[in-house]
Amino acid sequence: MRPTFRLPFLGLLLLAAPGAALAGNYEFLAAPQTDLNRVFRLDRASGEVGACQYGLKEGASIGVTLCYPPGEGAKAGPFSEYSLVASRHTGEGGVFRVDLRTGSMSICFVLNESSVVCTPPAK
């Protein structure tokens, strides 16, 4: 005799699958600079890079989250498999964006406290 619970369970798995496929698409990495509280965010599929950091707000007991959108070179690029790597240089405010499929690298950083920019990819 077949258990009847399998069919509804299978249906639930199929409904959950699209969301599960999208889960875990981002990677986060703190800048190596020791006196900077900045964290970079990477979309692993598109290579888009943004960043956020903590900021003080005058007259408030708690601060604010300051975020920098993707700018030149940091916007979504060709579909691939990207990752972030920090240097071991304690004074470096940027991170490396690496394309794990092609081996190319860019250096990404916040420019003029307005947006994240990345250098052109190179090998």
Side-chain angles (χ1 to χ4, degrees), residues 25-109:
N25 197 40
Y26 291 95
E27 181 177 327
F28 299 89
L29 183 67
Q33 187 174 335
T34 57
D35 63 347
L36 183 63
N37 61 2
R38 184 171 292 151
V39 175
F40 288 86
R41 179 195 69 248
L42 169 77
D43 182 312
R44 289 190 249 191
S46 72
E48 182 178 270
V49 181
C52 293
Q53 71 183 54
Y54 175 78
L56 297 174
K57 186 174 181 181
E58 191 174 316
S61 59
I62 59 172
V64 295
T65 303
L66 302 171
C67 291
Y68 307 102
E72 186 177 343
K75 294 182 180 175
F79 181 79
S80 192
E81 186 178 354
Y82 296 94
S83 187
L84 293 176
V85 177
S87 70
R88 300 189 93 192
H89 191 279
T90 58
E92 180 61 55
V95 295
F96 291 85
R97 175 181 59 190
V98 297
D99 185 327
L100 298 173
R101 293 182 183 172
T102 67
S104 64
M105 291 189 254
S106 300
I107 299 170
C108 302
F109 55 94

